[in-house]
Amino acid sequence: MTQHAPKATRETVDILVVGGGIAGMIAAAAFGASGFKTLMIDPVPPVTVGDDVGSDLRSTAFLRPARDLFEKIGIWDRLAPHATPLEGLRIVDTVPSDDGPLLRSERQFEGRETADEPFGWNFLNWHMRRALVDILPSIALAETRYGVGFKSMLTRTGSAIVTLSDGTQVEAKLVVAADGRNSAVREAAGIGVSTTRYGQKSLAFTAFHSLPHGNVSTEIYRDGGPFTMVPLADIDGRPASAIVWMNKGPKAIDLLNMDIDAFNAEMTDRSAELYGNMELASQRGVFPIITQVADQLSGQRLALIAEAAHVLPPIGAQGLNTSLNDLAALLELCEANTHDIGNAAMLDTYARTRHRDITARAKAVDLFNRVVRAEDGLLQSVRLLGLKAVHDIKPVRMGVMRAGLGPL
Ligand SMILES: Cc1cc2nc3c(=O)[nH]c(=O)nc-3n(C[C@H](O)[C@H](O)[C@H](O)COP(=O)(O)OP(=O)(O)OC[C@H]3O[C@@H](n4cnc5c(N)ncnc54)[C@H](O)[C@@H]3O)c2cc1C
């Protein structure tokens, strides 16, 4: 008798989300809650404890459009208790001097100037993952599967057939690539990227400070890049913030390896002591800073979202917020195309509209990053004038805040 190789199992779903980072998890929740049978896959289960190895020590300041999406999906009530509201944004421009950082100027933007609510809500990333892991099982049409990844993909007019790392085949009307900046799905689809490297790295960690933050997020500019303090709830009764500290690469590595007392002293100095003494309250994570935009945001039966589509420097809370704008646009198009989600016209519309917005944001953040990290005296003057103009000219200030850009 002839022996046949066992046939690969094939499952059928409406949407396959590849990648279970924060964007992928929110995508699975969104599509499942909107009535699409959704499978999300990731080889690595999420780390949901701050002190565990591999924990994501960054925080995300979700802006109002992101909150609107959470409300639409019906998960905001369960997320809100974990958030710290951001009522204001304080921008401080400093230059180094022999007596420590010299404050050249400062401005504060108030969230309630544009609406009767905070301008954003801050979550520690590992905490957000934990909340999403709790929420996802309650969404019947959203299945999450860890320990398996994307291996290869064959697309045709009506569907995509994806082979997973365990040999399973999944047939989906739409594949959503949320598998991060080195996206295997993007590569399999032959989509290239444009990448700008700055030679900068960012440290991300949690710190205590002796003075309260008053729910105001603070960005302190100096050459090398911004030092950003995003408010968290008090920890053990002490004021705390999530810190993003951008520097040239070698300096960032020095800071990463510095002993804690020396690190605390540098951090206190770099913060211009605006919130008193600073003290490290977590491990330190380090991230390379790049701008990267995919050449195309869609392929046959495929949409790229989040860092598979774009990576931005951590300025003005643009990264994940832009990702959720991708998701909101894609969700709306799926809801308008329930007869055939993932059809070519729908994906063309997605790619065209999102590419325009992403490119504009990437250009703005890139330009801003070049100006704020400048050592050159002329560019430092531009930074100061720009800050004053954005804040002091009311229509500009309101426009920038309404655009969800923060003051950048
Ligand atoms: C220091 C710093 C601070 C930041 N602060 C903010 C902020 O305040 N606000 C904001 O909006 N953004 C912020 N960002 C950006 C934000 O953190 C990122 O956009 C976001 O974390 C990326 O999420 P993601 O889900 O796209 O990618 P990732 O988190 O990289 O997730 C990709 C997932 O895909 C999985 N994967 C990989 N390969 C495969 C495969 N073959 N098959 C299946 N799955 C696969 C991975 O295991 C991973 O889980 C910040 C970034 C930095 C560096």
Side-chain angles (χ1 to χ4, degrees):
M1 213 167 92
T2 321
Q3 291 269 315
H4 292 288
K7 246 187 146 185
T9 334
R10 184 178 294 176
E11 300 172 36
T12 305
V13 295
D14 293 322
I15 298 175
L16 175 69
V17 177
V18 180
I22 295 181
M25 282 198 274
I26 296 172
F31 292 123
S34 297
F36 300 104
K37 187 178 177 203
T38 305
L39 172 65
M40 187 207 85
I41 53 159
D42 196 308
V44 188
V47 180
T48 57
V49 176
D51 289 335
D52 280 3
V53 177
S55 179
D56 184 345
L57 299 168
R58 294 172 289 180
S59 78
T60 299
F62 287 98
L63 304 175
R64 287 175 191 149
R67 187 278 320 273
D68 294 347
L69 178 67
F70 294 145
E71 278 186 337
K72 176 177 167 170
I73 309 171
I75 63 173
W76 177 239
D77 286 351
R78 294 171 70 184
L79 290 174
H82 305 288
T84 306
L86 305 177
E87 296 288 353
L89 190 42
R90 180 181 182 192
I91 307 288
V92 181
D93 192 88
T94 68
V95 281
S97 82
D98 292 341
D99 304 320
L102 193 66
L103 266 63
R104 293 200 301 175
S105 184
E106 78 166 276
R107 294 289 188 276
Q108 187 158 319
F109 297 77
E110 300 297 342
R112 288 180 194 272
E113 195 175 14
T114 49
D116 190 22
E117 59 176 0
F119 74 85
W121 293 264
N122 195 34
F123 294 78
L124 281 168
N125 283 9
W126 65 263
H127 215 148
M128 183 61 152
R129 282 187 168 84
R130 181 195 283 180
L132 290 166
V133 164
D134 287 345
I135 289 170
L136 273 159
S138 66
I139 302 175
L141 288 174
E143 183 192 344
T144 54
R145 196 176 299 165
Y146 295 104
V148 279
F150 169 92
K151 195 169 156 213
S152 60
M153 179 169 65
L154 185 75
T155 59
R156 48 195 191 189
T157 319
S159 65
I161 297 167
V162 173
T163 304
L164 308 187
S165 52
D166 64 357
T168 309
Q169 288 192 330
V170 180
E171 181 166 5
K173 295 196 188 87
L174 174 64
V175 175
V176 175
D179 53 341
R181 54 179 70 187
N182 301 315
S183 170
V185 180
R186 187 183 66 216
E187 204 180 315
I191 300 175
V193 290
S194 308
T195 308
T196 306
R197 298 179 198 283
Y198 304 96
Q200 287 170 295
K201 290 189 194 303
S202 178
L203 290 185
F205 54 89
T206 300
F208 296 120
H209 34 88
S210 46
L211 302 175
H213 48 58
N215 288 356
V216 171
S217 188
T218 302
E219 293 187 6
I220 306 161
Y221 298 149
R222 199 168 100 183
D223 56 301
F227 179 95
T228 304
M229 302 176 60
V230 193
L232 294 173
D234 288 359
I235 301 174
D236 301 331
R238 302 172 68 185
S241 291
I243 310 291
V244 175
W245 186 357
M246 285 169 63
N247 273 294
K248 286 182 181 163
K251 170 78 178 169
I253 298 299
D254 283 351
L255 289 166
L256 179 71
N257 297 320
M258 198 175 266
D259 79 63
I260 292 182
D261 287 343
F263 182 80
N264 288 343
E266 279 253 2
M267 175 169 48
T268 302
D269 177 70
R270 180 61 185 82
S271 70
E273 296 182 47
L274 290 177
Y275 295 92
N277 279 328
M278 306 282 299
E279 203 182 303
L280 189 63
S282 72
Q283 305 289 323
R284 287 162 271 188
V286 70
F287 299 85
I289 303 303
I290 61 169
T291 294
Q292 179 168 284
V293 180
D295 297 341
Q296 289 163 245
L297 297 181
S298 68
Q300 192 173 43
R301 296 283 155 186
L302 169 67
L304 268 49
I305 68 165
E307 288 210 335
H310 47 77
V311 184
L312 303 175
I315 295 177
Q318 287 305 288
L320 203 42
N321 282 286
T322 305
S323 304
L324 296 192
N325 294 345
D326 302 340
L327 178 58
L330 194 59
L331 182 63
E332 206 170 290
L333 284 164
C334 285
E335 287 169 341
N337 285 271
T338 46
H339 59 287
D340 182 19
I341 53 166
N343 68 68
M346 172 194 138
L347 288 171
D348 280 352
T349 307
Y350 169 74
R352 206 178 44 253
T353 50
R354 289 307 301 144
H355 205 269
R356 208 180 302 135
D357 179 63
I358 290 165
T359 313
R361 283 171 198 267
K363 278 192 184 142
V365 174
D366 171 80
L367 177 67
F368 193 75
N369 185 34
R370 288 175 195 278
V371 172
V372 294
R373 73 189 174 135
E375 286 167 27
D376 173 279
L378 180 64
L379 280 181
Q380 287 188 354
S381 306
V382 170
R383 178 175 83 199
L384 185 62
L385 286 172
L387 160 64
K388 288 181 174 167
V390 166
H391 179 275
D392 298 351
I393 305 171
K394 190 170 178 190
V396 179
R397 180 172 79 240
M398 301 293 275
V400 165
M401 291 185 75
R402 284 207 188 92
L405 283 171
L408 276 181

